[in-house]
Amino acid sequence: MKKILYNILLLLCILALGCCSTKKNTFRTRAYHNVTSRYNIYFNGREAYKNGVKTLEKNYKEPFNDILPVFFYKDQTLFSGISGDMNKAYEKAGKVIKEHSITAKPVSKRPASSQRQKAFYAQREFNKWVDDCYLLTGKSHFYKGNFFEAQKNFMYVLNEYKGQEICHETNLWLARTKVEMGQYDEAKEILEKLLDESNDCPQKLKVQCYPIFADIYIQQKMYEDAIQYLTLSCDNTKKKKYRIRYKYIIAQLYQELGDNSNALKYYDEVIKMNPKYDIAFNAKINKATAFDGSTSSKEVLNSLNKLLKDEKNKEYQDQIYFAMANVHYADGDEDDAIECYEKSIETSVSNSQQKAISYLSIGEIYYNYRKYITAQPYYDSCMNFLPETYRNYGEIRIKSENLNTLAKNYHGVEYEDSVQRIANMSSKERNNYIDKLIEKVRQEELQKQEEEQIANMNSNLYNQEFGFNNQKVSGKWYFYNESVSKFGKAEFKKKWGDRQLEDNWRRSNKQNNMALLDGDEDEEDEDDEGEELNIDDEYDLALQFKEEIIPYAIEYYLGIADDEEDDLGNEDEEDE
């Protein structure tokens, strides 16, 4: 019995090995390679691809400060997070192509008579999953941002499998790739052929052309055409999340066109569809800023204040203040608008794009009034946070660079004028002016120290309570509690920086003070001899401890003025 089983297993192995060959084209070899490709290698590759797409959608964050992109893959910074899945899909597809492709012609005992038989023998590929693997390879390249390689794969499928059903989906992906490469006219030409009535493209693929058309027109800022295709997209998709997305974008486009009435209509439709909280919240915010006169600005501001007080909206306060600023600006109240924009900046923690747009809005207000020097720092701050994918990024960057150049030249001239004016003063006038300047610096420093002391007191109270509670919980002395000790060290460094354990460790300029004390003792000795510490010694001391003493030393400012005076070549006779 065991011998019979052994022979059966041996026979099966021989048959399996015979089926593994791709050099023979028989019914058994075709069946083996098709089944292996479909339910093993290609299946795993496709699952990896689908998992990557899901991960991208999960990690995607909507840029609500801008017109939402039609597709999630527009944020190409997320491609690196799914490269593992796409690489696996690419490898699996490549394995099918390399190891399971059957290009050998089947041996026919008699010539083909029917048209179907002739078409079968005329095939160049007899594994029906190889073409799908070429398409999967192109799609994996697409989601890795390798659009040129993706295009090469799609073109190969179209040329190699001309007239076959897979060409319809391949054309769809080729059009997407052309859009990402900025080849809009070529993409539209491909889509128009797919939508042609004479084309036998399946309806489920034809309806996928509409959002791609909408994406093209949004990129080209042809918003009315984009609205038309987004409407068709809404009418032809069953998935609720996509219908919500398309309607939200339609509302945004109407708002961009100044058609607030239709914008409000679509925002209401979005809210009624019970979307995710972030979409519903932003629809309400945009609805508030798109009021068309049917409601007063006061009512709109009241509704925004209610949103501001809601605890759920704490992380969205920057957006609410921004919306309030827009309402004030539309009402012509620019002072309140700027105040709300400033609050939006202050409350913006994680939404860097919102912070950038708030800076930009303030800058534009000043720029429109030709207050270019005032506008410059706002544009400059905007560029620190604005992503390069933001629309009109190039224009904003050029304007910011021009303002930076203007401000630099303006401040240079202003500085020269100021220094020359001081240099031309008499010694008495100059010293009086500098004394006032030093006093101002001292007052600012005192105010800063007071603020730091208040902050430190609050921190110390917290630390004491924290340490006391930890002692009670752990039963250990404060310094024996490792977690509390580490926390204390971090707080110490935060407040004092790196200090050596020595006398007067609190004073960073203790040498300074010691020198001054020594100087006082020397002065007493010198007073007995009728001598005093001259001004040069005091200035040398100031230079030695430049960072902390110079701003309070008159010689620091006199040095600047004297250098300017030498450059002017008109030294004051009183200084001689």
Side-chain angles (χ1 to χ4, degrees), residues 22 66 91 101 117 123 139 226 287 333 408 418 507:
T22 57
D66 202 357
E91 289 167 6
S101 173
Q117 286 178 328
Q123 287 182 125
K139 288 156 75 173
K287 183 182 172 185
D333 190 351
K408 183 180 179 181
S418 176
R507 298 181 182 274

Side-chain angles (χ1 to χ4, degrees), residues 443-457:
Q443 290 299 326
E444 289 176 354
E445 185 65 26
L446 284 171
Q447 185 178 352
K448 183 180 177 182
Q449 288 177 0
E450 288 175 3
E451 290 173 356
E452 288 179 355
Q453 285 175 0
I454 293 170
N456 290 335
M457 286 173 63

Side-chain angles (χ1 to χ4, degrees), residues 293-306:
S294 58
T295 56
S296 68
S297 60
K298 189 175 181 180
E299 290 177 13
V300 175
L301 290 170
N302 286 337
S303 66
L304 289 171
N305 273 313
K306 288 180 182 178

Side-chain angles (χ1 to χ4, degrees), residues 197-252:
E197 291 182 2
S198 61
N199 196 315
D200 60 349
C201 177
Q203 185 63 22
K204 68 176 183 178
L205 292 179
K206 281 188 175 183
V207 298
Q208 292 183 39
C209 294
Y210 300 141
I212 301 175
F213 261 121
D215 183 32
I216 293 170
Y217 287 123
I218 290 174
Q219 299 297 322
Q220 296 180 320
K221 298 184 180 181
M222 300 170 66
Y223 296 144
E224 292 178 351
D225 292 320
I227 289 170
Q228 177 186 345
Y229 280 101
L230 284 170
T231 305
L232 287 170
S233 301
C234 285
D235 296 339
N236 288 279
T237 186
K238 295 180 180 178
K239 289 190 175 181
K240 182 181 175 181
K241 70 174 183 178
Y242 291 124
R243 283 189 285 114
I244 290 172
R245 185 178 194 80
Y246 297 150
K247 287 191 177 185
Y248 189 95
I249 298 171
I250 291 171
Q252 286 184 304

Side-chain angles (χ1 to χ4, degrees), residues 403-414:
L403 287 172
N404 289 343
T405 303
L406 175 66
K408 183 180 179 181
N409 294 335
Y410 174 83
H411 290 309
V413 172
E414 189 180 47

Side-chain angles (χ1 to χ4, degrees), residues 40 50 69 79 99 104 106 125 187 219 243 262 294 305 320 326 339 371 374 387 422-423 425 471 476 478 517 540:
N40 185 5
K50 288 161 67 175
F79 286 173
E99 299 179 9
E125 176 59 62
Q219 299 297 322
R243 283 189 285 114
N262 274 316
S294 58
N305 273 313
I320 299 171
N326 288 340
E339 184 181 346
K371 295 182 178 180
T374 310
I422 296 170
M425 291 179 179
Q471 288 180 48
K476 294 180 180 180
Y478 179 91
L517 286 171
D540 289 340

Side-chain angles (χ1 to χ4, degrees), residues 43-53 82 84-86 88-89 92:
F43 173 81
N44 290 329
R46 191 179 64 173
E47 287 300 304
Y49 166 81
K50 288 161 67 175
N51 185 62
V53 174
I82 60 171
D85 287 318
M86 294 304 157
K88 184 178 179 181
K92 295 295 183 183

